[in-house]
Amino acid sequence: MTAPSLRRRFVAVDRVRALGAIYVVFGLVLLMRVAPALPDDPERFLFGTGPDALAWTFRPSTTTVVIASALVTFGALALVRSGRLVSGGLVLGGVLAVVMLLVASLALSPNKSTNLVPLFIQSLRLGSPIALGALAGMWSERSGVVNIGIEGMMLAGAGIGFVAYALLNGGAGGLPLYVAVLVAVAAGGLFAALHSLMSVTLGTDQIVSGVAVNLLAIGLTSFLRSQVLVPLNADSATTLPELSIPGLSSLPIIGDLFSAKPIFFLTFVAFGASAFVLTRTRWGLRVRSVGENPHAAETLGVDVMRVRYQAVILGGCIAGLAGAQFSLETVGSFDDLMTNGTGFIALAALIFGKWRPWPVLAGSMFFGFARALGVRIQLLNVEVAGFPLPSQFLQAVPYVVTMVVLAGAIGRAIPPAAIGRPYRRPG
Amino acid sequence: MTGAGRHVLEVEGITKTFPGVVANRSVSFDLAEGEIHCLLGENGAGKTTLMNIVFGLYRPDEGTVRVRGEEVSFSSSADAIAAGIGMVHQHFQLVPTLTVLENVVLGAETVRHGVLELASARRTLADLSDRYGLPVDPDALVGDLSVGIRQRVELLKALYRDADILILDEPTAVLTPGEVDEFLSTVRELVGMGKSIVFITHKLREVSQVADRITVLRNGEVVGRTTPAETSEEELAAMMVGRQVSFTVDVGTSDPGEVVLEVSGLVVDDNRGHAAVRDCSFAVRAGEIFGIAGVEGNGQRELVEALAGMRPVVAGDVRLRGRSLLGLDPRRIAELGVGHIPEDRTRHGLIGAFSVADNLVLNRYHRPPFARGLVRRRSEVTAHAEELVATFDIRTPGVDVPAAQLSGGNQQKVVVARELSRPLEVLLVAQPTRGLDVGSIEFIHRRLVEIRDRGTAVVLVSAELDEVLALADTVGVLYRGRIVASMPAAEADRHRVGLLMATGSEAA
């Protein structure tokens, strides 16, 4: 093999090979360390409740050996080859690694069985605010405006929405609750308008402007909480009611998925609508053009500034809705920093989905799964070498997943070409 | 039909200043119905500024624009489009991630119940394609199209908006000689079908081919109005530049020695990982200018970057006097005696924020006499800079001003001065005169011939076929990443090279 051809292999398949190596190492650790340490008594994953629920019975140690062998095989394959089949193997390996995590958790917990259906439903529930946040980012960034202020817009929605609710009728539900959701949406939109003002009109660096939005939201909502909510003693308010979709909600196994709260359902509606608007309407076409080549759009008489304002503010409204999901739909109170980094994970999901609606939704749900898994492992009282896994470790799981996914698994995502660049009208 | 029709466009007394520059000074210009009016001038003469004002992109400081006799004041290009004006910009204004059809309708979309209604737009586009002989695939992504086709899309965009006044800004700059001829006949057909056209260019050959009337701009002012019948190319050139110019540098005779640079079977990928240079082979001898002609995007950039060590080589070999350069970094290659004048001087040639003096030692700042150990010696750097500024006639207020403040021509002279001020085995030159005025072009051409005569092997890549033909001792044609033919300059004529550039073979 001559020098240049060696070099080609190294440059071209760098990432795949690195991933392959990680798989091999991970697989070998599983084979040599984990499999012998796990018990081999049968354990069961259930899909549903009751005695006649679907179940998968497995022996943890044996299963680990099987999964580990597969990982080593796929990893080794990626080291020597490249192509579609190898990529498929790596993806399948990723899925197996998740299964492995579940198997090990159950094996290390005192429980003998665990129901997986709630885990998946929980994934969607926890993924929903991430998805809305990512959708907010998608609108903004497809128009060419970087939005790291999603977190702040969500927090503003959560805080201001809840303050409105507390002031309206003290948190007893009913019509004021829905008005409060609208206030939350408007609050997100308002913060987004501020972001547009700074980054579109004034040409401030979009990252700086986004940070400003985040800081302002933290300060303002915490001020409102201490000055309005604490004196009103407004916690444990009534939240949005649960809706059941007739028919679907009585399906076997997955029926529970269709009994949920309104903003959860709205998430999917919002994605459907966004995908349609982005690809099939005049305004969507203009948003895409403005994010890719604003000068071209300008020469065709499109008002670049206006389209960017509209897209950023629409995004802010969606982020506000995501905020309402925290305070008004799920918890029924507002705490400082309630959104807890969801807006940043949403950004990761946005990049993961390469700025396209449906992949963004899938990416968000993947992060939701990471969160749900952290919770489930905690509930299973998993013990390693006689000590329970610390909860802080488990809470870090989604963020570790974020980093791993962004660094390794997605490869190069090409953002909208004009992203981050303020547009100046010539002349 | 010179001046036959009524005036569809009249521009009077336009003045436009940008900070520090007067782009247009009291310019008047008119366009008669059904004529081709060439707006001729060098880069920076103010042609594009004037037309951007007509198209509503800039607002004039003074002066009036009348369309079909009515005074207009456009606040955006949307107004200009509504008045029947279409403009094809020098840098295409297309969105590469959208389809041809989406690009065409953008800004003039038809909707039904808020949903894009593309079926009728598709029919209209097909009609226009037929009528004007401009076939396109409406569903192709613009990013996948060749420049020739992209230009077609630009024309169709204007026609789709019912423009009858077309402004074409340097439309032939990116086309092959064959495509240029085709394009010029399209332009004449458009006029035949009732359009009126402003044709902006700095290429004299095209002016005499298509113009009904000619207006010449220099430094933002109108310096002449004429017709092809009343003038000659020499006269037009003198008007453009303001003095008599010699079109061709006296290249003298070359006396090539042994082979210095040998490229064999070279394969290089572009940024997207596709092979841009495929199985490319050629050899350059000492004291020879090897000119590489080719339509832009045929692998020129990747080839030069690979030779300079800026881009990994996938396969093949590059040898300098028998020694392989593969795997060496750019600094090492430069130290072996390879100079590089990159095509994009602002990105790869200079650091705009650094002073002229620092830019002149970018390849040697860490070596004596410019540094002693870890410490730089400013006095040496300054002295060196002052010497080069004098020998290369770099017009700068001082050697301490940031390079970005210099004009394009003087920036290029900084790059040339830096690269030529040391002994070189090989000089790689890409698009050395792009965007420069005639005076700087002459200067740089003379320098290239000089260094050749001192025994350096020069690789010259240029999109200007005339430049290659004027300077090269051997002409190679790069087509789809391969040198498909190489011939002594004496055997290279425009027609033969043009055909090779367009098709990759000599069979028509």
Side-chain angles (χ1 to χ4, degrees):
Chain A
M1 190 181 289
T2 59
S5 69
L6 248 180
R7 186 165 177 160
R8 161 170 55 178
R9 292 192 159 262
F10 188 72
V11 171
V13 287
D14 218 349
R15 195 171 52 78
V16 171
R17 283 162 56 106
L19 224 57
I22 292 171
Y23 275 40
V24 169
V25 171
F26 184 51
L28 289 178
V29 169
L30 284 178
L31 268 182
M32 298 190 305
R33 289 285 177 187
V34 180
L38 291 179
D40 212 22
D41 313 326
E43 310 225 4
R44 299 202 311 155
F45 285 137
L46 305 174
F47 300 89
T49 49
D52 43 326
L54 274 172
W56 177 45
T57 308
F58 62 95
R59 293 173 178 277
S61 189
T62 318
T63 311
T64 304
V65 170
V66 172
I67 291 178
S69 315
L71 281 175
V72 172
T73 313
F74 294 144
L77 211 61
L79 282 175
V80 294
R81 285 244 147 101
S82 62
R84 184 158 290 202
L85 215 62
V86 168
S87 309
L90 289 177
V91 171
L92 184 58
V95 174
L96 286 178
V98 172
V99 174
M100 184 61 230
L101 201 55
L102 285 169
V103 165
S105 309
L106 187 56
L108 292 171
S109 98
N111 301 38
K112 281 287 157 202
S113 67
T114 190
N115 187 352
L116 290 185
V117 173
L119 176 67
F120 291 117
I121 292 180
Q122 194 65 9
S123 304
L124 296 184
R125 302 265 154 93
L126 293 174
S128 157
I130 299 175
L132 283 174
L135 190 64
M138 186 202 80
W139 277 114
S140 175
E141 303 207 343
R142 284 303 286 263
S143 82
V145 180
V146 174
N147 195 347
I148 66 159
I150 299 169
E151 175 80 3
M153 294 171 197
M154 285 169 66
L155 193 61
I160 296 171
F162 193 76
V163 165
Y165 184 33
L167 289 175
L168 279 172
N169 74 341
L175 183 65
L177 184 50
Y178 294 96
V179 175
V181 171
L182 290 182
V183 171
V185 168
L190 204 66
F191 271 66
L194 181 69
H195 182 48
S196 329
L197 178 71
M198 288 191 281
S199 58
V200 178
T201 304
L202 302 176
T204 316
D205 183 281
Q206 296 171 0
I207 302 285
V208 173
S209 168
V211 170
V213 165
N214 285 333
L215 295 178
L216 180 66
I218 291 172
L220 184 71
T221 54
S222 129
F223 171 78
L224 287 176
R225 194 183 72 88
S226 63
Q227 298 302 309
V228 181
L229 297 179
V230 173
L232 280 175
N233 208 8
D235 46 10
S236 71
T238 312
T239 56
L240 287 168
E242 192 156 296
L243 308 174
S244 290
I245 298 177
L248 290 177
S249 59
S250 45
L251 283 175
I253 300 181
I254 55 163
D256 283 349
L257 191 55
F258 299 98
S259 293
K261 297 197 167 189
I263 300 179
F264 173 74
F265 288 127
L266 267 181
T267 306
F268 301 94
V269 177
F271 268 88
S274 291
F276 181 81
V277 170
L278 190 66
T279 53
R280 300 285 303 280
T281 67
R282 162 160 63 189
W283 186 69
L285 178 65
R286 292 182 173 190
V287 169
R288 285 184 285 149
S289 67
V290 159
E292 292 288 341
N293 187 349
H295 294 277
E298 171 90 33
T299 57
L300 295 173
V302 173
D303 188 335
V304 175
M305 303 281 194
R306 193 169 72 186
V307 172
R308 285 194 168 173
Y309 259 89
Q310 289 166 338
V312 173
I313 290 174
L314 172 65
C317 291
I318 296 172
L321 185 67
Q325 195 170 19
F326 283 91
S327 61
L328 299 170
E329 176 167 288
T330 310
V331 182
S333 71
F334 176 76
D335 300 312
D336 289 349
L337 303 178
M338 184 173 209
T339 48
N340 197 17
T342 305
F344 293 108
I345 295 189
L347 275 177
L350 174 64
I351 299 168
F352 182 77
K354 304 191 175 180
W355 291 270
R356 296 193 309 257
W358 297 117
V360 165
L361 181 62
S364 305
M365 292 311 169
F366 173 74
F367 287 113
F369 176 74
R371 282 193 161 179
L373 191 61
V375 174
R376 174 59 63 96
I377 290 174
Q378 211 166 347
L379 289 179
L380 283 172
N381 291 318
V382 172
E383 289 181 356
V384 174
F387 295 100
L389 271 181
S391 64
Q392 289 85 351
F393 175 81
L394 296 168
Q395 280 159 7
V397 165
Y399 306 96
V400 174
V401 169
T402 305
M403 283 192 285
V404 170
V405 162
L406 284 184
I410 60 163
R412 215 171 109 75
I414 298 166
I419 198 167
R421 277 190 266 135
Y423 182 72
R424 286 266 145 271
R425 276 209 63 184
Chain B
M1 56 180 82
T2 306
R6 67 198 167 96
H7 286 169
V8 288
L9 176 68
E10 289 159 285
V11 170
E12 245 180 64
I14 292 280
T15 297
K16 173 76 185 173
T17 52
F18 293 109
V21 199
V22 182
N24 286 149
R25 191 193 309 267
S26 188
V27 174
S28 298
F29 174 86
D30 57 63
L31 178 69
E33 187 161 30
E35 75 163 346
I36 300 175
H37 193 153
C38 274
L39 198 51
L40 182 68
E42 290 210 280
N43 290 306
K47 301 166 299 202
T48 301
T49 303
L50 182 66
M51 285 305 126
N52 278 340
I53 289 171
V54 171
F55 195 56
L57 288 171
Y58 297 163
R59 313 212 52 167
D61 302 338
E62 281 167 39
T64 55
V65 178
R66 281 196 296 279
V67 177
R68 290 180 208 85
E70 270 180 57
E71 185 167 335
V72 291
S73 170
F74 298 143
S75 58
S76 79
S77 45
D79 298 345
I81 292 167
I85 301 176
M87 182 160 177
V88 175
H89 299 262
Q90 181 178 10
H91 304 288
F92 294 156
Q93 298 296 337
L94 296 168
V95 183
T97 54
L98 301 184
T99 64
V100 168
L101 186 60
E102 285 174 327
N103 266 287
V104 168
V105 301
L106 179 63
E109 308 90 345
T110 43
V111 290
R112 187 188 294 159
H113 310 304
V115 179
L116 276 178
E117 212 279 294
L118 291 175
S120 64
R122 186 184 295 273
R123 277 193 302 276
T124 314
L125 181 62
D127 284 352
L128 289 170
S129 286
D130 277 355
R131 188 158 7 128
Y132 295 103
L134 300 164
V136 288
D137 171 8
D139 298 313
L141 279 185
V142 164
D144 296 336
L145 300 178
S146 71
V147 279
I149 311 271
R150 286 189 204 198
Q151 183 153 51
R152 232 177 257 173
V153 178
E154 283 280 24
L155 270 179
L156 286 165
K157 259 165 67 179
L159 296 170
Y160 184 80
R161 286 161 180 75
D162 287 329
D164 47 24
I165 300 171
L166 290 172
I167 301 168
L168 311 177
D169 188 359
E170 303 268 5
T172 56
V174 290
L175 303 181
T176 62
E179 283 175 321
V180 169
D181 291 340
E182 197 181 314
F183 181 79
L184 295 181
S185 67
T186 304
V187 168
R188 249 177 263 115
E189 257 168 63
L190 284 169
V191 169
M193 294 171 114
K195 309 288 182 194
S196 315
I197 291 175
V198 181
F199 194 105
I200 302 178
T201 187
H202 66 265
K203 295 189 180 167
L204 300 167
R205 182 178 296 111
E206 291 164 9
V207 174
S208 30
Q209 271 178 286
V210 297
D212 291 312
R213 283 194 295 155
I214 304 164
T215 294
V216 185
L217 281 183
R218 186 172 75 233
N219 294 333
E221 291 178 78
V222 175
V223 292
R225 293 192 177 82
T226 180
T227 65
E230 296 166 9
T231 187
S232 64
E233 290 191 10
E234 286 71 28
E235 211 176 288
L236 286 172
M239 261 195 260
M240 257 167 79
V241 184
R243 62 183 167 84
Q244 289 298 326
V245 281
S246 60
F247 282 112
T248 47
V249 175
D250 180 18
V251 293
T253 49
S254 66
D255 179 23
E258 59 191 293
V259 167
V260 177
L261 181 75
E262 196 176 3
V263 175
S264 49
L266 197 68
V267 179
V268 183
D269 284 349
D270 63 14
N271 291 338
R272 291 180 299 169
H274 303 305
V277 176
R278 312 164 212 215
D279 193 19
C280 179
S281 304
F282 60 91
V284 191
R285 293 167 294 174
E288 171 187 52
I289 296 180
F290 186 81
I292 297 182
V295 181
E296 265 186 86
N298 273 282
Q300 289 94 329
R301 175 175 308 157
E302 290 79 8
L303 173 62
V304 173
E305 287 183 5
L307 296 183
M310 293 160 64
R311 189 178 279 274
V313 167
V314 174
D317 204 355
V318 180
R319 289 182 177 271
L320 177 69
R321 290 201 185 275
R323 172 186 176 161
S324 174
L325 298 181
L326 290 189
L328 301 184
D329 60 35
R331 175 181 283 182
R332 189 83 192 90
I333 291 176
E335 283 170 355
L336 289 172
V338 178
H340 178 205
I341 299 174
E343 85 172 67
D344 188 342
R345 58 180 163 266
T346 53
R347 277 185 62 207
H348 295 140
L350 293 169
I351 301 176
F354 283 14
S355 70
V356 170
D358 283 343
N359 271 293
L360 284 168
V361 293
L362 274 185
N363 50 0
R364 275 175 293 167
Y365 64 92
H366 57 292
R367 300 234 146 184
F370 305 118
R372 193 188 295 151
L374 294 175
V375 184
R376 298 186 60 203
R377 298 173 68 193
R378 304 210 51 136
S379 54
E380 293 289 341
V381 173
T382 308
H384 171 78
E386 276 162 358
E387 191 191 318
L388 288 184
V389 163
T391 28
F392 283 84
D393 188 29
I394 300 168
R395 310 271 168 86
T396 169
V399 296
D400 293 328
V401 301
Q405 284 183 15
L406 272 52
S407 73
N410 284 301
Q411 286 184 6
Q412 187 71 338
K413 283 184 189 171
V414 171
V415 178
V416 171
R418 178 182 69 221
E419 297 301 323
L420 298 195
S421 62
R422 63 195 179 102
L424 290 179
E425 295 272 6
V426 173
L427 177 65
L428 307 170
V429 197
Q431 321 292 359
T433 57
R434 173 173 287 169
L436 302 191
D437 57 277
V438 173
S440 305
I441 292 174
E442 256 183 304
F443 181 88
I444 284 166
H445 283 178
R446 223 172 308 118
R447 291 289 172 168
L448 293 179
V449 172
E450 244 171 63
I451 192 154
R452 174 202 74 183
D453 290 343
R454 276 188 267 146
T456 301
V458 179
V459 179
L460 167 70
V461 175
S462 175
E464 300 282 344
L465 181 52
D466 291 328
E467 183 166 50
V468 173
L469 294 180
L471 294 178
D473 303 305
T474 306
V475 175
V477 179
L478 190 67
Y479 178 76
R480 296 202 178 153
R482 285 185 57 227
I483 296 287
V484 290
S486 114
M487 63 200 88
E491 292 168 25
D493 65 74
R494 279 189 72 78
H495 182 73
R496 183 175 174 203
V497 177
L499 196 61
L500 281 162
M501 283 167 68
T503 63
S505 81
E506 299 202 45

